[in-house]
Amino acid sequence: IRLWDVRTGDCVRILEGHTKTINSASFSPDGKFILSSSFDKTIRLWDVRTGDCVRILEGHTKTINSASFSPDGKFILSSSFDKTIRLWDVRTGDCVRILEGHARGVTSAVFSPDGKYILSLSFDNTVRLWDTKSGKNIKTIDRPSGDICSADFSPNGQYIISVLLNKNIIIWDINTGNNIQVYEGHTSVVNYATFSPNGKHIISTSFDKTIRLWDFLSLQEIIDDTQKKFKNNPLTNSERREYFLE
């Protein structure tokens, strides 16, 4: 793992210890630690100032695909090809909860912005929403139209953004599980998409060698915009349902 100085572009520290490919690295919310996950089935916690590995988390039985801090920095969330999601206590290094339910390997897991929920993505082609406190699976988006590459929360936690292998980006309403928007335009596989910090835009990257910036409309904005467009042209019942007006 390499730490770089943004101002100078110099590599200021190299962190070594993992024995196989490292597939994720992120800073703690306070910037004092770095969290990494690896194909060697371990999660490592590093001190940014010294570069020392201060904790190794072990428990997953297969490759770990992601690891991230909770918004308050007190917990670590990890996903693995062993079909589980694990919640770890940063202070003790103990695994405090194992979330099970996916039928195949879990490719990613992230906290909601408020830390109350966990979103997971799996090769079983489902996106699952979990209650962090109880560990219960409270919602499953089953078999969406296309294999899912990645998924994440919007900044306000009300929407899920997902990337599909069919070149599309789909936005889901977290309360209903409904697909409310589809972004099309990339000519090859989209491998990443995320919201801007203010939630008004989406940025995506693709194998088509382009980065695209999209405007995002919330569900209420879609309704308001649709009502304006059809104000003088009454819609049929089926059209009203299509535009989420009832």
Side-chain angles (χ1 to χ4, degrees), residues 52-195:
D52 293 335
C53 177
V54 296
R55 185 159 287 122
I56 300 176
L57 309 181
E58 297 180 283
H60 282 295
T61 58
K62 292 186 178 180
T63 295
I64 298 171
N65 293 312
S66 69
S68 57
F69 284 99
S70 60
D72 61 10
K74 294 180 180 179
F75 296 96
I76 290 169
L77 183 67
S78 61
S79 66
S80 169
F81 279 147
D82 65 12
K83 306 177 188 177
T84 70
I85 302 152
R86 289 180 179 246
L87 191 65
W88 311 79
D89 186 300
V90 171
R91 185 178 58 83
T92 65
D94 293 336
C95 177
V96 295
R97 183 163 288 118
I98 300 176
L99 309 182
E100 296 178 292
H102 281 294
R104 297 181 65 189
V106 185
T107 55
S108 70
V110 294
F111 284 102
S112 61
D114 60 9
K116 293 181 179 179
Y117 302 101
I118 291 168
L119 180 70
S120 64
L121 174 65
S122 168
F123 280 149
D124 64 11
N125 213 21
T126 65
V127 176
R128 292 176 183 254
L129 187 67
W130 312 77
D131 182 278
T132 302
K133 188 175 181 179
S134 68
K136 292 182 179 179
N137 180 193
I138 57 178
K139 192 179 295 293
T140 300
I141 299 175
D142 189 27
R143 300 289 173 187
S145 54
D147 293 329
I148 308 171
C149 300
S150 68
D152 201 357
F153 287 96
S154 61
N156 63 9
Q158 295 180 4
Y159 305 100
I160 295 170
I161 183 170
S162 62
V163 171
L164 304 184
L165 284 178
N166 63 4
K167 310 170 190 176
N168 293 341
I169 301 161
I170 293 184
I171 307 298
W172 310 84
D173 183 282
I174 201 168
N175 294 313
T176 65
N178 290 334
N179 165 0
I180 65 166
Q181 280 180 274
V182 178
Y183 294 86
E184 299 174 296
H186 281 292
T187 58
S188 188
V189 173
V190 181
N191 53 10
Y192 181 73
T194 190
F195 283 95

Side-chain angles (χ1 to χ4, degrees), residues 163 186 189-193 203-208 210-212:
V163 171
H186 281 292
V189 173
V190 181
N191 53 10
Y192 181 73
I203 192 168
S204 60
T205 62
S206 168
F207 287 0
D208 66 13
T210 68
I211 300 168
R212 294 183 181 238

Side-chain angles (χ1 to χ4, degrees), residues 205-238:
T205 62
S206 168
F207 287 0
D208 66 13
K209 304 176 185 177
T210 68
I211 300 168
R212 294 183 181 238
L213 184 66
W214 314 78
D215 279 327
F216 172 68
L217 293 177
S218 68
L219 181 57
Q220 186 58 52
E221 288 172 321
I222 293 173
I223 293 173
D224 292 344
D225 184 58
T226 304
Q227 288 175 328
K228 288 178 182 178
K229 287 182 180 179
F230 297 99
K231 184 175 182 180
N232 299 318
N233 299 287
L235 301 178
T236 65
N237 289 337
S238 62

